[in-house]
Amino acid sequence: MRPFLLYRDKSLKNARMYSSFQDLQKDLNLNVVMNVMTGKSPEKIEAIKTVMITPLENADELEYRYAISDDLWANKGLCKELTDLADMAYNETRQYKAELEQNRGKSSERAGVILAVLRYVELALDIFANLKSIINNKDYTISSEGLRAFGQRINKLPIEEMIEFHKQLFFYVTGGEGVFSLRLSGGLKIDESIFLDCNTKKHPKLSNSSKSFKKFYYRVSKKDKVLIEGEELNKDIKVYIEAHIKKIIDEYNDFIDELMTYFFDLYREVNFYNGINNFRERMGQLGFSLCKGNVSEDRHKKYFEDLYEISLGIFSQKYPVPNTFTTDKLMTLITGANQGGKSTFLRSIGIAQVLMQCGMPIPAKKYISPLYSNIHTHFTRKEDAQISLGRLEDELNRMNTIINNLSEDSLVLLNESFASTTEKEGSKIAENILVPLYQNKIQVMMVTHLHEFARKMFESNSQDIKFLIADRRPSGERTYRMIEGEPHYSSYGTDLYKEMIGDI
């Protein structure tokens, strides 16, 4: 039993994850996006992160997820109701688990444990009844395959029958009449017993107290029968009742495990789609365009129109300068002026690819790309200057981790890699790493100021490398657009000097 709102026929735990999402999160500023989706809720960030770190594998999976997302965007009330119910189920399940852990192994709390089980099952069945009511609400028009199948599975559950059956078990809590078959040995010892039937007199809502259950220990007599009293018999009756209850509760174990798994999955999956709604709403408020991603049939072909760096836009609340780009090459090298938008451009591609591969809308007018089993980032970071290892050693360690996790359908994004050493050494290291990647048909996009390396790659006349430069006007003004052209062998640092200090 699974919600199956992310995949048609499998759960998230059976899917392959990125090997280095922590680097993606840091290098691509994905926390900015997740904060918008969740209102900065730590629990919800962790929930949706588990979806984002697991890339979709084909166009069919992407369309399945996009269709559910569109359905829940068109039916915002349905999304809110499902989210509220999923949140409640998640919180109650966590509380139930904590209560069981607290009372585990304490014989004195056995009655409390039994009460907690019965209470949790009662609440779970109520949640399923509410799910059924919500999904069948005539005010909502559901068209996606995923949500329709979700509703069909809920409707097939014998919820009403399960609730009626469960009520009978409250004989043990609220009192009532029970029919038992006993065989007694000498000294009124119970040798064997069979629980035949029960009838609960009433069924109030349960509280967290176990007092009502304990009172049942003293409600064993049956109307119109002889009441047998005696310390020895009462001791046996307590053991007898606990044995029966434990036997029945044991039958619940697998069912409860299924319930808990279902509610944890529901919380993760529904909050992911609710997060998409929050994301779309915020982008609409900012006036930013979004689109659906399309899967390219060519493994190396990538095209996007007016792609912008979403984390920058959210932070500045201004529409960033967009870029339009197309390539079918294995490698893209980006050079040019400092502060020209090269790193922003590379980050915008990384963010868009991660969003597409988890079924989210993309900050562009159009986006076509292959799906990658892994996305690897190697960005220079501000904290690199403070690390205990040398910067170059740390860079090489991170690159080694990437290489050890590479597959042919990986995408590698490198930003100012190997800039922590000299131009000559950095260029040689880059050549020794990038050329084998190119030869093994790994798709690489690299921003670099290693001019010697860029020149050598350009002079190789390779037909499978695209060269971009950060556009710079004769006045030194940056347009923040990437254009195709021969690598620039200067970073134009004097432009910034003039702007900040004055003429040289």
Side-chain angles (χ1 to χ4, degrees), residues 266-296:
L266 187 69
Y267 175 78
R268 179 189 304 115
E269 296 173 20
V270 170
N271 271 286
F272 172 69
Y273 288 112
N274 188 61
I276 293 178
N277 277 6
N278 293 338
F279 178 69
R280 293 173 74 162
E281 185 174 355
R282 181 58 180 149
M283 295 308 100
Q285 292 169 352
L286 293 172
F288 295 173
S289 59
L290 295 170
C291 72
K292 294 181 187 177
N294 292 288
V295 179
S296 171

Side-chain angles (χ1 to χ4, degrees), residues 132-303:
K132 187 174 182 178
S133 174
I134 291 169
I135 209 72
N136 292 321
N137 190 329
K138 301 295 185 183
D139 293 338
Y140 303 131
T141 303
I142 298 173
S143 58
S144 64
E145 174 195 348
L147 274 181
R148 282 179 176 271
F150 173 75
Q152 289 167 3
R153 287 190 294 272
I154 294 295
N155 284 324
K156 285 180 181 179
L157 292 175
I159 297 171
E160 290 77 13
E161 292 88 338
M162 293 166 70
I163 290 174
E164 286 303 313
F165 171 77
H166 185 67
K167 283 180 180 179
Q168 296 305 312
L169 296 178
F170 282 82
F171 163 78
Y172 288 103
V173 180
T174 62
E177 295 183 347
V179 179
F180 301 89
S181 171
L182 304 178
R183 187 171 70 184
L184 302 179
S185 64
L188 294 180
K189 296 291 185 181
I190 300 173
D191 276 349
E192 186 178 279
S193 66
I194 300 174
F195 178 31
L196 300 174
D197 193 14
C198 65
N199 178 31
T200 304
K201 286 182 177 178
K202 54 183 178 177
H203 181 53
K205 290 289 182 182
L206 289 173
S207 68
N208 287 322
S209 169
S210 62
K211 290 181 180 179
S212 59
F213 169 75
K214 291 176 180 177
K215 288 179 181 178
F216 173 72
Y217 283 162
Y218 309 103
R219 297 178 184 172
V220 184
S221 61
K222 191 171 181 180
K223 187 168 52 177
D224 300 328
K225 300 296 180 183
V226 176
L227 176 62
I228 303 175
E229 296 181 343
E231 184 178 347
E232 189 68 25
L233 180 59
N234 284 336
K235 286 180 181 178
D236 273 354
I237 287 175
K238 291 178 185 179
V239 174
Y240 162 74
I241 293 170
E242 288 181 352
H244 270 290
I245 296 175
K246 184 179 184 303
K247 194 72 174 176
I248 292 173
I249 294 302
D250 285 347
E251 296 298 321
Y252 268 90
N253 287 340
D254 290 343
F255 178 55
I256 289 175
D257 287 344
E258 283 287 321
L259 288 175
M260 293 168 67
T261 300
Y262 187 94
F263 289 148
F264 283 139
D265 285 352
L266 187 69
Y267 175 78
R268 179 189 304 115
E269 296 173 20
V270 170
N271 271 286
F272 172 69
Y273 288 112
N274 188 61
I276 293 178
N277 277 6
N278 293 338
F279 178 69
R280 293 173 74 162
E281 185 174 355
R282 181 58 180 149
M283 295 308 100
Q285 292 169 352
L286 293 172
F288 295 173
S289 59
L290 295 170
C291 72
K292 294 181 187 177
N294 292 288
V295 179
S296 171
E297 295 181 3
D298 185 329
R299 198 163 63 85
H300 298 125
K301 187 172 183 179
K302 187 182 289 289
Y303 169 78

Side-chain angles (χ1 to χ4, degrees), residues 23 377-381 384 387 389-406 412 414-422 424-434 437 446 450:
D23 286 332
T377 57
H378 190 279
F379 282 43
T380 299
R381 298 173 184 163
D384 281 352
I387 57 178
L389 292 172
R391 287 186 62 189
L392 179 59
E393 185 178 353
D394 176 70
E395 284 194 89
L396 293 176
N397 282 336
R398 286 163 52 201
M399 182 59 69
N400 184 58
T401 300
I402 291 174
I403 291 172
N404 288 337
N405 288 282
L406 278 177
V412 180
L414 307 177
N415 183 45
E416 305 288 6
S417 299
F418 321 121
S420 55
T421 185
T422 65
K424 183 176 181 179
E425 287 182 345
S427 293
K428 190 64 178 176
I429 292 170
E431 181 182 356
N432 287 341
I433 291 175
L434 272 294
L437 294 182
M446 182 180 189
L450 298 173

